[in-house]
Amino acid sequence: MSQNGDRVIERVCVIGGGVIGSLFAGHLTQVADVSVLTRRREHADALNAQGLRVSGRSDVHGSITASSDPNGIPQFDLGILATKAPGLEDAAATLEGHFPNATMMTTLNGLGAEEIVRRHGDWPIISAVTFMSGTRHGDTHVEYILDTETWLGPYEDTPYEDVEEAAALIRAAGLKVEAMRDLRPAQWSKLIFNATVNSVAALTGLPHDPHFAAEQELTDLGHLVHDLIDEGKAVAAAAGIELHDDPWEMNVHATQRGAAHYPSMLEDVEAHRPTEIDLITGALVREAERHGVDVSLHRALYRLVKAREESWS
């Protein structure tokens, strides 16, 4: 994508029109030609007719080219994969054989999204994790709630200049972003945070609130959260990862910043949808097994969330 350090990204496609995809797409309409590849045709029809509105922390209403068929999407420079984990394989398969000159950017929680995308094409890939959050009010309207950062880094041999270029575009759109030469320390920090908070929320029905950081009494949920985070830190240490942020401090800060925020896995459980457990807690458990680290608590939560999924499947 890069040419002498100049930003040359002019066309962006967001794959997946949920909350995160809509936040990226809506903001990027201010600085690029944006298309959205949707799962449902009626979603694409609504975006084509009405555009995409972002309210809350931002006030944007942009025009979008949308389609549920990749043949209806114009060629693009940067593809942002913003599906939920259970839909990533199908989305990547839909892209296979298309858009040969694009760079793809994954934004999913957990570990392993890049490997799934790689199975379907040899595009340059940028890894990303995002802390943005919002509320979806319909196919054409999303409310921006937490205006927090997105972290980007190269995957495999993608040039770091391409990462900087994508970061510059996202920053120009009014979103917070940081480019990193090695994303793994940041990716693992969020992995441990998500594996803990999402699983506990999915099983207790509690939003991410001060209960998650309370340690005053032995019965407090905060003790369980702290022990889960310690298990995750032990896996990271065994894997040779020096964490970018302390996941416990991330947890404490998040409870102070957005006390009533519903983790995505809790939303999925309440809606009886497949969760992201396999790329989040499942990934942490698999890494623990690879490095010989005991993660009994995380393994138990993984199995319990999978059992909840089976109860309505």
Side-chain angles (χ1 to χ4, degrees), residues 1-8 161-162 165:
M1 290 189 300
S2 299
Q3 295 179 355
N4 300 321
D6 296 329
R7 181 167 63 82
V8 296
E161 290 76 17
D162 287 4
E165 187 181 333

Side-chain angles (χ1 to χ4, degrees), residues 90-169:
D90 286 346
T94 298
L95 296 170
E96 189 167 344
H98 298 275
F99 316 111
N101 298 318
T103 293
M104 299 296 179
M105 184 177 99
T106 59
T107 63
L108 286 78
N109 290 322
L111 300 178
E114 299 89 348
E115 288 88 343
I116 294 171
V117 175
R118 172 59 71 237
R119 289 201 293 266
H120 296 280
D122 59 358
W123 309 282
I125 295 175
I126 295 171
S127 301
V129 293
T130 185
F131 289 89
M132 295 191 297
S133 72
T135 300
R136 190 171 181 272
H137 293 294
D139 283 345
T140 61
H141 177 204
V142 63
E143 181 182 359
Y144 191 17
I145 294 177
L146 290 182
D147 59 340
T148 38
E149 277 192 330
T150 297
W151 297 335
L152 313 181
Y155 177 70
E156 295 178 337
D157 56 356
T158 299
Y160 180 62
E161 290 76 17
D162 287 4
V163 177
E164 292 182 307
E165 187 181 333
L169 181 77

Side-chain angles (χ1 to χ4, degrees), residues 18 66 294:
D294 178 32

Side-chain angles (χ1 to χ4, degrees), residues 64-270:
I64 297 285
T65 299
S67 178
S68 59
D69 181 347
N71 293 309
I73 296 292
Q75 293 293 317
F76 54 84
D77 307 308
L78 176 66
I80 300 177
L81 286 122
T83 68
K84 286 290 191 74
L88 179 60
E89 185 78 56
D90 286 346
T94 298
L95 296 170
E96 189 167 344
H98 298 275
F99 316 111
N101 298 318
T103 293
M104 299 296 179
M105 184 177 99
T106 59
T107 63
L108 286 78
N109 290 322
L111 300 178
E114 299 89 348
E115 288 88 343
I116 294 171
V117 175
R118 172 59 71 237
R119 289 201 293 266
H120 296 280
D122 59 358
W123 309 282
I125 295 175
I126 295 171
S127 301
V129 293
T130 185
F131 289 89
M132 295 191 297
S133 72
T135 300
R136 190 171 181 272
H137 293 294
D139 283 345
T140 61
H141 177 204
V142 63
E143 181 182 359
Y144 191 17
I145 294 177
L146 290 182
D147 59 340
T148 38
E149 277 192 330
T150 297
W151 297 335
L152 313 181
Y155 177 70
E156 295 178 337
D157 56 356
T158 299
Y160 180 62
E161 290 76 17
D162 287 4
V163 177
E164 292 182 307
E165 187 181 333
L169 181 77
I170 293 168
R171 188 176 299 111
L175 297 173
K176 296 177 181 177
V177 64
E178 181 179 354
M180 301 178 178
R181 291 188 178 275
D182 183 358
L183 189 68
R184 289 175 301 167
Q187 202 168 28
W188 271 77
S189 293
K190 195 178 184 215
L191 170 69
I192 296 167
F193 169 82
N194 281 137
T196 298
V197 169
N198 274 274
S199 299
V200 171
L203 293 169
T204 62
L206 289 170
H208 192 205
D209 66 12
H211 289 90
F212 284 67
E215 292 187 287
Q216 291 84 2
E217 300 175 9
L218 289 177
T219 55
D220 281 338
L221 183 61
H223 282 276
L224 172 62
V225 171
H226 202 288
D227 289 345
L228 286 161
I229 286 174
D230 283 345
E231 280 191 352
K233 288 180 179 179
V235 180
I241 303 294
E242 185 174 346
L243 297 173
H244 181 271
D245 286 46
D246 184 332
W248 175 255
E249 295 302 323
M250 292 168 66
N251 169 59
V252 172
H253 182 58
T255 62
Q256 296 167 346
R257 185 179 57 215
H261 174 57
Y262 264 54
S264 59
M265 204 177 292
L266 175 56
E267 293 179 342
D268 290 336
V269 165
E270 291 187 342

